[in-house]
Amino acid sequence: MRTRATGWEVSAVVEPDRIRREAFREQQQLPVERAFASIDEFLRADRVADFAFICTPDPTHFELCDAISSAGYDVLLEKPIATSLPECLALLDVQRTHGNRIYVAHVLRYSPFFRTIRELLWSGEYGDVRSLQLLELIGHWHFAHSYVRGNWSRRADSAPLVLTKCSHDLDIITWLMPEQQVQKVSSVGSLSYFRSELAPEGAAKRCLDCSLQRTCLYSASELYLTDRGGWPYDSVASGSRSLSARREALRTGPYGRCVWHCDNDVCDNQSVTLQFESGLHATLGMYAHTADVTRRISVLLDEAEITGDLHRGEITVSPFTGTPGLVQPFAAPLEAPGDPHGGGDLALLRTLHEHLDTGAHAEVMTSLETAVISHVLAFLADDSRLQGGKPLPVPAIFDGVSMAGPGERRTEAR
C-alpha cells in the first residue's frame, strides 16, 4: 500500500509480537506471506523491497543493520545508530563493505522549523553567528514515562541519555553552524530528582498501592488509566489497549512503579558545551522538569537575534535596528497531529523518497557519515560529565567531514 504523504510503498513487515504484526499487516493490506515473525525469517525469503526501515529497540540497531545491509538492502535507521561508540564506527565499515546506503532518522533536520533557521544562518544576511543555545525540554510526564519507568531509564540497558535523546540535538547544532567543526566537548549533568531519598512521605513502591495516587503529579493510575488513546496511554500493556489490561500491567509491570522507587540512573538534567574551531561556543541544555514538550533555540548574530519554539512553530527575527522583532514565516509542517518534531517525521520520509528519486535535498540528508558525528559528540559529552566537566578534544574522525551538502557553501549576502 503506497502512502500519499510520502510516496513509499510498504512491502513487508517484521514484528515478533503476533497481535501487532497482524494489525500492521491488515492496516497496510499486506499478504500473509509478507508478515514475518523474525529477521531470520525475513532474510531467508526472496527479496521483497529496496529499503528497510529499522525501528526496533536501541540495543538491536547495530546487529540488525549489519544483517540487513549484508542482504543488499538500503536502510533508514532509527537513532541512535548503535549504543556503543565502537559499534557506531563499525557501521561505517559495514556500509563500505556492502556498498549500500544507510540513512539515519535525525528528523529535526527535515522539519520546516529548523530548515528555516538554517537558511537564515547560512544566508549571511545578519552576519556571523556569535552564540547558539538549544534547549531540549523533555516534559515532566514524558521523562517519567520513558526515562524513569521506561526502556531508556538505565544506561546499561540502552545508552546515555545524551545519546538516546539528545543525538537529535547535537546533530541539529552542528548542522546549523555555517561551515564550522567542533574542537572540544564538555558537559555536566546529574540525576537530581527521581531518587528514592526524595520520595514523598508515605509513597508506596507501586502507584496502585499508594495513598497519594490521586494527587501525585506522577501517578501511574492517573496517567495511564484514562480513556485517552494513543501514546503513552496505550503502551503500558503489550498487545492490548483495554483498561483492564492496563490496570494489570500497572500492578506488575514497570510502568506501575513509583517514580522515586525505580532503578533508573540516567540524568534528568544535563548541559553540553561545544567549542568550535573559531572559538565560538554552542550549548545544549536537556531538562526533565518542564511543563511543555518542545525545543527552544536562541541564536545571536552580528546584527540580529533569532529565537524560536518548535512546539509553537514560531521563529522571531529581531534585527539590531530598534525595530520590533518580526515573526519569520516558514512553510507549514506536513499534516502530522501530535508530531513533537514539528512535521519532521513525515518530512523525512517524503524528502528521502525525493532524494532517492531525483538526487534533490542533498544538503539536508542524514547520511550515516554525517549522523555519526552527533554520536561521537554524545559519547564525548557523557565521558566529560563523568570526569566532572573536563573539556575533551574531538577525534580525527571529523577531518574532512562537513555538515554542508555536496558543493554547498554559505552565501555572502552582505
Side-chain angles (χ1 to χ4, degrees):
M1 180 173 135
R2 186 179 297 275
T3 61
R4 293 182 180 178
T6 66
W8 291 91
E9 180 178 352
V10 179
S11 300
V13 61
V14 182
E15 169 56 65
D17 186 292
R18 183 186 61 80
I19 295 176
R20 292 178 178 174
R21 181 173 68 250
E22 185 60 19
F24 187 87
R25 186 191 70 78
E26 291 181 355
Q27 180 193 55
Q28 298 296 322
Q29 302 174 23
L30 299 173
V32 174
E33 62 272 16
R34 295 285 184 88
F36 302 96
S38 70
I39 190 65
D40 290 337
E41 183 180 318
F42 169 71
L43 293 176
R44 284 196 300 267
D46 293 336
R47 183 165 173 159
V48 296
D50 303 308
F51 234 87
F53 291 6
I54 298 178
C55 315
T56 57
D58 297 351
T60 68
H61 287 180
F62 174 80
E63 183 179 355
L64 289 177
C65 192
D66 186 14
I68 290 171
S69 297
S70 69
Y73 288 91
D74 290 329
V75 175
L76 176 63
L77 179 61
E78 256 290 3
K79 62 86 186 169
I81 58 181
T83 54
S84 72
L85 183 55
E87 286 187 340
C88 288
L89 300 180
L91 274 183
L92 294 169
D93 291 330
V94 167
Q95 183 176 242
R96 282 190 288 265
T97 298
H98 300 297
N100 65 327
R101 294 170 292 185
I102 301 174
Y103 296 90
V104 179
H106 275 319
V107 294
L108 294 183
R109 282 204 209 180
Y110 301 86
S111 71
F113 178 87
F114 281 113
R115 293 186 76 166
T116 299
I117 289 177
R118 190 176 195 263
E119 289 169 5
L120 289 167
L121 302 188
W122 282 66
S123 73
E125 180 178 357
Y126 300 105
D128 293 331
V129 175
R130 296 301 169 187
S131 174
L132 187 152
Q133 180 185 51
L134 181 64
L135 295 179
E136 158 72 289
L137 307 181
I138 298 179
H140 62 288
W141 63 267
H142 182 190
F143 191 90
H145 173 82
S146 298
Y147 305 102
V148 178
R149 293 169 169 139
N151 294 335
W152 298 273
S153 62
R154 289 180 51 78
R155 190 184 189 283
D157 297 335
S158 180
L161 186 60
V162 71
L163 177 74
T164 60
K165 189 74 174 81
C166 299
S167 57
H168 274 324
D169 306 275
L170 294 169
D171 176 76
I172 207 67
I173 289 174
T174 52
W175 185 67
L176 288 176
M177 291 294 287
E179 297 182 316
Q180 297 226 27
Q181 293 188 8
V182 183
Q183 286 192 329
K184 292 182 180 179
V185 180
S186 59
S187 180
V188 292
S190 64
L191 175 59
S192 66
Y193 186 67
F194 296 101
R195 309 194 323 243
S196 59
E197 62 267 29
L198 298 180
E201 185 177 353
K205 296 295 181 65
R206 288 195 166 271
C207 292
L208 292 183
D209 302 325
C210 188
S211 61
L212 307 177
Q213 65 177 295
R214 298 302 174 200
T215 58
C216 178
L217 286 174
Y218 300 98
S219 169
S221 53
E222 292 295 300
L223 179 61
Y224 301 117
L225 300 182
T226 71
D227 293 330
R228 290 173 291 186
W231 184 89
Y233 314 109
D234 58 7
S235 63
V236 299
S238 178
S240 175
R241 298 179 179 179
S242 71
L243 186 62
S244 61
R246 278 181 280 161
R247 183 178 295 279
E248 182 58 28
L250 297 187
R251 194 175 303 283
T252 60
Y255 293 103
R257 296 176 296 172
C258 171
V259 292
W260 289 281
H261 292 301
C262 290
D263 56 354
N264 57 301
D265 62 9
V266 299
C267 294
D268 55 22
N269 70 94
Q270 188 165 358
S271 62
V272 180
T273 300
L274 306 180
Q275 180 177 319
F276 290 88
E277 57 189 353
S278 66
L280 293 180
H281 294 77
T283 60
L284 164 66
M286 179 281 294
Y287 302 103
H289 283 82
T290 67
D292 202 357
V293 180
T294 189
R295 287 173 168 91
R296 293 180 186 148
I297 191 168
S298 173
V299 188
L300 307 181
L301 300 102
D302 290 337
E303 300 177 6
E305 177 181 357
I306 298 174
T307 58
D309 187 301
L310 179 64
H311 185 196
R312 291 179 172 82
E314 295 176 352
I315 298 173
T316 302
V317 180
S318 301
F320 296 166
T321 59
T323 57
L326 300 176
V327 177
Q328 177 73 26
F330 59 94
L334 291 173
E335 188 65 27
D339 177 6
H341 303 126
D345 292 355
L346 281 177
L348 180 154
L349 297 177
R350 185 179 67 174
T351 305
L352 177 58
H353 188 275
E354 292 175 358
H355 175 70
L356 297 171
D357 208 27
T358 67
H361 311 296
E363 79 286 351
V364 73
M365 300 311 302
T366 48
S367 66
L368 179 63
E369 291 84 354
T370 58
V372 77
I373 293 174
S374 64
H375 290 55
V376 172
L377 295 177
F379 283 110
L380 286 173
D382 189 57
D383 287 346
S384 171
R385 181 185 69 84
L386 295 174
Q387 297 180 52
K390 178 182 177 181
L392 299 178
V394 175
I397 183 176
F398 284 85
D399 291 350
V401 178
S402 173
M403 298 305 289
E408 183 185 16
R409 289 294 181 267
R410 175 176 164 175
T411 302
E412 293 299 334
R414 297 189 302 158

